[in-house]
Amino acid sequence: MRGRQVPKTTTDQRLLDDRGRADWLHTDPWRVLRIQAEFVEGFGALAELGPAVSIFGSARTPADSPWYAKGVELGRLAAEAGFSVITGGGPGTMEAANRGAREGGATSVGLGIELPFEAGLNPYVDLGINFRYFFARKTMFVKYSEGFLVLPGGYGTLDEVFEAVTLAQTGKVTSFPIVLIGVDYWTGLLDWLRHSVEAGGMISDGDIDRLVLTDDLAAAVRHLKDGAGRVAPDETNPE
């Protein structure tokens, strides 16, 4: 939907917006079915995708930016390493990575989200799914990726990084490489984590090492390929 057809609010907003009304007594049970449908659609579309990597970065990266060019190259290198490429399906860095994946001959996947200020998936997406709920979409990124390659980005990118590193720290995912690309961009964040968060005892020694930092795109893909592969679950506990 575009123009005046774009809703003024999003499905996520309506789900989370509690103004004291009792409407949820009547509407939330039905929302569960819609949420279930999003998971079913995502699982069905991606189940046979094969090895894949999620590439994150800013939707605001212009096409003439050096980071856009690096996004294209990163997508191509991931494709040449045997990975399909999953992005958020939007413009900027996401478009660049999808473009590189297509140029490299891999499946280019876009997992879009309902937002009032973004319209549709970028033209380089081969397999696209639009989600209403962030949590359903985020599950797909982790479930169907061997790891994350992260270019400079804003709140959405940071959200995905910290979601993934939390899942790794707590053992919810295993053998899940996370590579930050852009030494100048990410060093300040890692310094803060090291000198404030870790030094204050808020995370354990070595937790920062879950985040690999580099400027070398080929090295980033190699690191992901070397570290990819989930540990098999305990067969006695299929949950």
Side-chain angles (χ1 to χ4, degrees), residues 33 39 102 119 125 142 153 157 179 187 199-200 234:
L33 298 179
F39 280 106
R102 178 181 288 183
V125 169
V142 176
T157 302
V179 185
T187 292
D234 182 352

Side-chain angles (χ1 to χ4, degrees), residues 34-54:
R34 176 177 276 184
I35 292 167
Q36 178 180 327
E38 292 215 337
F39 280 106
V40 170
E41 181 182 4
F43 294 156
L46 301 174
E48 297 180 351
L49 182 62
V53 57
S54 287

Side-chain angles (χ1 to χ4, degrees), residues 21-182:
R21 300 185 304 269
D23 292 354
W24 64 271
L25 288 171
H26 309 288
T27 59
D28 279 7
W30 294 104
R31 281 195 179 111
V32 171
L33 298 179
R34 176 177 276 184
I35 292 167
Q36 178 180 327
E38 292 215 337
F39 280 106
V40 170
E41 181 182 4
F43 294 156
L46 301 174
E48 297 180 351
L49 182 62
V53 57
S54 287
I55 298 180
F56 296 102
S58 177
R60 305 184 186 194
T61 303
D64 59 355
S65 165
W67 284 114
Y68 186 97
K70 290 183 179 181
V72 174
E73 183 180 358
L74 186 63
R76 180 180 56 78
L77 289 171
E80 292 174 352
F83 293 107
S84 296
V85 171
I86 304 173
T87 79
T93 303
M94 294 176 280
E95 176 184 299
N98 285 132
R99 178 178 175 179
R102 178 181 288 183
E103 292 176 357
T107 302
S108 173
V109 181
L111 306 182
I113 185 69
E114 179 188 62
L115 293 173
F117 48 81
E118 287 185 14
L121 300 173
N122 71 66
Y124 299 101
V125 169
D126 299 319
L127 172 59
I129 310 170
N130 272 311
F131 290 86
R132 292 184 175 93
Y133 298 101
F134 267 107
F135 52 84
R137 177 185 186 236
K138 289 166 76 171
T139 298
M140 304 303 154
F141 281 126
V142 176
K143 179 172 177 59
Y144 293 104
S145 295
E146 300 292 330
F148 288 175
L149 299 174
V150 188
L151 292 157
Y155 283 146
T157 302
L158 291 169
D159 177 50
E160 297 295 350
V161 169
F162 283 109
E163 176 95 23
V165 79
T166 299
L167 291 172
Q169 180 197 48
T170 55
K172 299 297 184 181
V173 295
T174 53
S175 300
F176 198 84
I178 306 166
V179 185
L180 306 179
I181 300 166

